[in-house]
């Protein structure tokens, strides 16, 4: 009991915990789980440690941002208030795009927040609301960051956009150049899936692509 309440011992323990193994913060005293400096040390090492922080610190902007930067999925332990707070949410998804998955619905459908998430981690387009998944700027950002892999998460109508489709395929081709055969095949898979989902429909190439052909 004495060691669980020893600040130095607990700080050392939470800083040394192997990420993903369950933070030592869960074994700390209630007092230390509510001590900001101790919680910061824990979440910087393992974002999931936020689960064991006090309710007050799960509503603290610094602790929550540090946790999300370490592991975007730690957003699930952030207070309801912050998960719907646009300005804080923008910082969180810019630090780690995966924070977008557990952001409030208002942020998942917000253009600015979605764009930052897609720029940081393109595949996070899949967590966006209806508007981001059909917004060309968000889709282009996700394609660029993910080398085309995120295109399959765009809204159905956007997947039929010739300009976006050709960008996704071109980015995949670029990513595959110089890669080992197995890696190139894996890289091309999402684009192939998109093409299959188009159901064999004819997609006319953008004018620029036709001109250069």
């Amino acid at each position: 009991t004495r060691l669980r309440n020893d600040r130095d011992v607990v700080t050392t323990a939470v800083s040394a915990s192997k990420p993903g193994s369950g933070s030592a913060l869960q074994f700390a005293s209630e007092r230390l789980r509510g001590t900001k400096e101790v919680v910061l040390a824990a979440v910087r090492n393992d974002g999931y440690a936020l689960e064991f922080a006090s309710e007050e610190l799960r509503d603290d902007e610094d602790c929550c941002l540090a946790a999300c930067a370490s592991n975007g999925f730690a957003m699930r332990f952030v207070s309801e208030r912050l998960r719907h707070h646009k300005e804080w949410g923008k910082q969180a998804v810019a630090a780690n795009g995966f924070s977008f998955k557990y952001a409030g619905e208002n942020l998942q459908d917000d253009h600015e927040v979605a764009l930052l998430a897609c720029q940081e981690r393109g595949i996070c387009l899949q967590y966006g609301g209806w508007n981001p998944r059909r917004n060309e700027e968000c889709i282009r950002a996700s394609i660029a960051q993910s080398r085309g892999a995120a295109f399959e998460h765009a809204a159905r109508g956007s997947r039929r956009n010739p300009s976006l489709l050709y960008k996704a395929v071109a980015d995949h081709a670029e990513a595959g150049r110089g890669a080992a055969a197995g890696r190139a095949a894996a890289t091309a898979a999402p684009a192939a899936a998109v093409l299959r989902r188009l159901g064999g429909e004819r997609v006319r190439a953008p004018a620029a692509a036709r001109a250069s052909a």
Side-chain angles (χ1 to χ4, degrees):
T1 301
R2 182 176 62 83
L3 293 179
R4 292 172 57 193
N5 200 41
D6 185 302
R7 181 166 173 162
D8 291 336
V9 170
V10 171
T11 300
T12 299
V14 298
S15 299
S17 294
K18 182 179 179 180
S21 63
S23 174
L25 186 63
Q26 63 185 301
F27 304 113
S29 67
E30 184 176 351
R31 178 181 72 85
L32 291 181
R33 286 188 283 114
T35 300
K36 184 171 181 175
E37 291 72 18
V38 173
V39 171
L40 277 172
V43 299
R44 283 169 178 161
N45 179 56
D46 183 355
Y48 272 169
L50 187 65
E51 177 182 5
F52 307 108
S54 66
E55 184 175 352
E56 179 183 358
L57 292 183
R58 283 187 279 114
D59 189 51
D60 179 87
E61 295 188 12
D62 296 331
C63 288
C64 292
L65 185 58
C68 289
S70 173
N71 186 326
F73 296 125
M75 177 71 93
R76 65 191 299 185
F77 304 119
V78 172
S79 71
E80 189 77 5
R81 179 186 73 87
L82 287 180
R83 288 193 294 111
H84 289 82
H85 189 297
K86 180 173 179 176
E87 292 309 311
W88 182 84
K90 286 164 64 176
Q91 296 180 66
V93 300
N96 189 314
F98 286 124
S99 300
F100 195 46
K101 180 175 183 178
Y102 293 106
E105 289 185 7
N106 63 313
L107 300 191
Q108 290 179 335
D109 206 43
D110 183 273
H111 174 74
E112 289 184 77
V113 178
L115 181 59
L116 286 169
C118 291
Q119 289 172 336
E120 203 286 319
R121 195 81 56 156
I123 202 71
C124 288
L125 180 66
Q126 66 184 300
Y127 306 130
W130 174 245
N131 288 318
R133 289 189 295 108
R134 65 177 180 176
N135 178 271
E136 186 164 335
E137 187 177 14
C138 289
I139 295 171
R140 285 186 177 279
S142 68
I143 290 173
Q145 200 285 325
S146 68
R147 298 295 185 89
F151 186 50
E152 64 177 310
H153 301 298
R156 184 178 179 85
S158 297
R159 295 201 305 270
R160 292 198 180 96
N161 180 313
S163 176
L164 293 175
L165 176 61
Y166 274 83
K167 175 173 174 53
V169 173
D171 280 16
H172 269 290
E174 182 64 29
R177 288 196 182 100
R183 181 176 178 181
T187 301
V194 171
L195 292 172
R196 285 198 301 273
R197 289 178 187 181
L198 288 174
E201 298 176 38
R202 294 177 64 85
V203 179
R204 188 172 175 78
R210 297 197 304 272
S212 61

